[in-house]
Amino acid sequence: MPEAPRTAVDKALDLVEAVARSPRPPRLTDLAEEVGLHRATAYRVLLDLVRRGWVLRAGDRYLPGTAVLRLSSSAARNSLTAIARPVLTELSARTGMMANLQVLEDDRSRVIDAVRPERLAMITDLIGEALPVHRFAGPLALVAALAPAARAPYLRPAEAAGHPLAGPDGLLADIERAERTGFAVEHGRNEQPVASVGRAVPSPSGAPVCAVTVVGLDAEFTPSRLAGLREDLREATDALHRLLTAPGTSGTPSDPANGPV
């Protein structure tokens, strides 16, 4: 079946995406070649994108415009929560534990959604809370997925709290272990009867987009159970990664009046 011709919207989005992902501001010729457009066509589309604020022209180079910058982090988080909610719901049902979703902020992670079974109502869901890396599995998994040079801000709250960085029980060893295994495990450091295991979801560039964490009673995190929880968490985070990287996919969209569409 022949490929459908690109629409004007396709061409505009191709150019916006090319500008956004370029490691340095590209020139017109670079953009036209990357997206497969004639130079004159690319120029005409870019004129409209500049006029609408989606692209900014600086000399002979192009950068993301103010319209892109106005897409606030709260809007992005709303989208992320909507996409991830079915994954969290399935993971919680499969494990019988709470599943939460976290994203990085300046020096901590923030819980933006959680699904908690009734039997664990005594464990707070921490939605909206900012969590330091030395006390929770979610931020530990996220920081371990960062490049080493980007980790410094997340170590400072641990230093301020007097938590050791070096040594076999230090935070750096925890980060190295989480980076090596792909999982961060927390046993009762924050609340004695609570344990958790977290795993980051990477972007195409490798930087973490978010982390999913399974939280339950520490007594239930036996070695054999932990192995099963890791596998459940691996499947859930892999599924979320596919949803986040598949073009045109947004989880299970629904019409409030008529259900799934």
Side-chain angles (χ1 to χ4, degrees), residues 95-243:
T95 61
M97 297 187 180
M98 179 164 61
N100 72 38
L101 181 70
Q102 301 182 33
V103 294
L104 280 176
E105 294 193 342
D106 292 340
D107 62 356
R108 302 163 194 265
S109 73
R110 191 172 298 276
V111 179
I112 61 173
D113 197 17
V115 175
R116 179 180 57 188
E118 184 61 35
R119 75 180 190 91
L120 295 180
M122 80 292 290
I123 300 178
T124 178
D125 60 25
L126 295 176
I127 292 178
E129 296 290 324
L131 312 181
V133 66
H134 63 291
R135 293 174 59 192
F136 296 88
L140 181 58
L142 286 165
V143 171
L146 291 172
R151 294 171 182 168
Y154 303 95
L155 306 182
R156 292 178 193 134
E159 290 182 289
H163 186 82
L165 297 186
D169 297 322
L171 180 56
L172 294 178
D174 290 341
I175 292 173
E176 187 280 329
R177 188 178 305 110
E179 180 183 17
R180 175 168 41 84
T181 64
F183 295 91
V185 181
E186 182 61 67
H187 281 286
R189 186 177 291 165
N190 181 52
E191 296 178 63
Q192 199 60 36
V194 177
S196 55
V197 54
R199 188 173 188 241
V201 178
S203 68
S205 69
V209 175
C210 58
V212 176
T213 305
V214 174
V215 184
L217 299 174
D218 192 28
E220 298 179 4
F221 276 63
T222 61
S224 60
R225 185 72 198 280
L226 182 57
L229 290 174
R230 282 178 169 173
E231 188 55 36
D232 290 335
L233 184 57
R234 183 193 304 278
E235 292 180 9
T237 50
D238 286 352
L240 182 53
H241 175 72
R242 289 192 296 271
L243 287 171

Side-chain angles (χ1 to χ4, degrees), residues 44-87:
R44 286 196 300 272
V45 178
L46 283 167
L47 282 178
D48 286 336
L49 291 172
V50 170
R51 179 175 56 83
R52 294 292 298 270
W54 288 97
V55 171
L56 173 69
R57 184 172 180 178
D60 63 348
R61 295 184 180 273
Y62 295 86
L63 301 89
T66 55
V68 174
L69 302 179
R70 285 196 299 268
L71 292 176
S72 66
S73 59
S74 61
R77 288 182 183 181
N78 288 340
S79 298
L80 179 58
T81 300
I83 293 169
R85 174 48 81 103
V87 175

